[in-house]
Amino acid sequence: GMFVLGLPYAILHGGYLGLFLIIFAAVVCCYTGKILIACLYEENEDGEIVRVRDSYVDIANACCAPRFPTLGGRIVNVAQIIELVMTCILYVVVSGNLMYNSFPNLPVSQKSWSIIATAVLLPCAFLKNLKAVSKFSLLCTLAHFVINILVIAYCLSRARDWAWEKVKFYIDVKKFPISIGIIVFSYTSQIFLPSLEGNMQNPKEFHCMMNWTHIAACILKGLFALVAYLTWADETKEVITDNLPSTIRAVVNIFLVAKALLSYPLPFFAAVEVLERSLFQDGNRAFFPNCYGGDGRLKSWGLTLRCALVVFTLLMAIYVPHFALLMGLTGSLTGAGLCFLLPSLFHLKLLWRKLLWHHVFFDVAIFVIGGICSVSGFIHSLEGLIEAFRTNAED
């Protein structure tokens, strides 16, 4: 997706270890996706495996029952909302960044471009179902193919000048934890998997689907990151398209902005669904009255809240306009939790009696490694953001 653009920056600070991490993250995320789906099933009295849960939240609530039957679901909801809203913010950030770097001679600042992008995105507040969102996603995929072809074609045209000697085994201790967050964030899909598996025509093929999609993603991301880094080496920027010559960059960036704007509706709609379900529609446990009327139409104040969420993503994009650092922070904070920590913890809790020793070992190892990566990545991303703000203030 869009965040592949930050992977060459991860290679800049991690070298071959960054490439290894792209492979390692794919393997771990594939495994945790499978064990998360395993937590949806239980064995009935006849010895048959049946689906007894429908969502990530249901799994979390089952783990915390009977003492705290809703605590786990609330924690997962908060993590999902942070993940989805931060994704929306990143799309606004990258739109402003790309437009500003594409047309540097225009008297329009990066913040102004972000405001223009948000004005285009305001109609997202009127989205009612996934049918409209899916159309945007289809156009987004087509734009992504064009972008990848253009960037890789340019890199291949400079293959004679590739700086293989720059790819080393050392790591930048301060910056590499940020790379971990970037790589993890590029693989986060666990929050969508229960719904995806539940809607498959043949759910038994879920494991096969996970294997092939993660193999394909791993190969494409690894090659893209390596080829782009070899082309620009130490001059690699946070968003790799900023390295392209001005003529090509303008064309690619326009496609990228289109892709970012077309990608925004999916996480926005998912975030709205989570917020409405947890705060407005959860029966007697809802904190606020239902934002839908008896005829199913969205009430005016409900629409106002949706518009406020779009504006909130703009404000965050204006005040935290650092794409790679923000992506690393999000990946470390919620990406590692939703992809590594919680699935392994839930798997141990719900299926402890049926697990083989190597499953227990994998779950514990993933939880420990994921926890270390999450904490270190979060701290270093936060330090990077603080340093970037100080630099801007001095300028």
Side-chain angles (χ1 to χ4, degrees), residues 30-45:
C30 182
Y31 173 76
T32 56
K34 292 176 182 178
I35 63 175
L36 183 68
I37 296 304
C39 293
L40 297 172
Y41 291 84
E42 284 188 3
E43 191 174 304
N44 63 14
E45 296 176 354

Side-chain angles (χ1 to χ4, degrees), residues 74-93:
R74 288 178 181 176
I75 292 173
V76 169
N77 270 337
V78 170
Q80 285 181 335
I81 290 169
I82 293 173
E83 177 94 358
L84 293 166
V85 172
M86 289 292 268
T87 303
C88 293
I89 293 168
L90 281 167
Y91 285 134
V92 179
V93 169

Side-chain angles (χ1 to χ4, degrees), residues 124 127 131-141 261-263 265:
C124 290
L127 290 171
K131 186 176 181 179
V133 176
S134 65
K135 294 177 181 178
F136 291 120
S137 296
L138 175 62
L139 294 173
C140 168
T141 303
L261 297 179
L262 291 167
S263 299

Side-chain angles (χ1 to χ4, degrees), residues 81-242:
I81 290 169
I82 293 173
E83 177 94 358
L84 293 166
V85 172
M86 289 292 268
T87 303
C88 293
I89 293 168
L90 281 167
Y91 285 134
V92 179
V93 169
V94 79
S95 296
N97 178 285
L98 292 170
M99 292 302 292
Y100 178 72
N101 286 288
S102 298
F103 307 101
N105 296 325
L106 292 179
V108 183
S109 66
Q110 182 173 331
K111 293 180 180 179
S112 299
W113 281 118
S114 296
I115 293 171
I116 294 170
T118 307
V120 175
L121 293 170
L122 270 176
C124 290
F126 295 90
L127 290 171
K128 293 183 178 180
N129 52 55
L130 278 173
K131 186 176 181 179
V133 176
S134 65
K135 294 177 181 178
F136 291 120
S137 296
L138 175 62
L139 294 173
C140 168
T141 303
L142 295 175
H144 191 61
F145 276 117
V146 174
I147 294 161
N148 280 358
I149 291 170
L150 290 175
V151 174
I152 292 176
Y154 177 80
C155 292
L156 291 175
S157 70
R158 293 184 54 188
R160 293 181 180 179
D161 302 322
W162 280 357
W164 284 99
E165 71 280 359
K166 292 290 185 178
V167 188
K168 299 179 181 179
F169 286 97
Y170 79 93
I171 62 171
D172 186 330
V173 178
K174 288 188 175 180
K175 298 289 183 66
F176 185 63
I178 301 172
S179 301
I180 295 174
I182 293 172
I183 292 169
V184 170
F185 193 72
S186 74
Y187 280 107
T188 52
S189 64
Q190 269 69 0
I191 57 178
F192 302 107
L193 292 182
S195 176
L196 175 63
E197 191 264 353
N199 284 281
M200 290 180 68
Q201 285 186 337
N202 187 2
K204 292 181 180 179
E205 295 181 350
F206 178 80
H207 281 214
C208 180
M209 179 275 294
M210 288 290 288
N211 291 336
W212 284 109
T213 51
H214 280 77
I215 288 171
C218 175
I219 293 172
L220 293 173
K221 289 176 182 180
L223 287 175
F224 183 89
L226 181 60
V227 166
Y229 175 72
L230 289 173
T231 304
W232 290 286
D234 293 339
E235 296 179 1
T236 301
K237 297 182 180 180
E238 289 185 17
V239 183
I240 196 60
T241 53
D242 288 347

Side-chain angles (χ1 to χ4, degrees), residues 311-332:
V311 174
F312 173 75
T313 61
L314 167 65
L315 295 175
M316 286 292 292
I318 288 176
Y319 290 106
V320 194
H322 303 283
F323 178 74
L325 292 172
L326 193 60
M327 185 164 60
L329 182 69
T330 306
S332 300

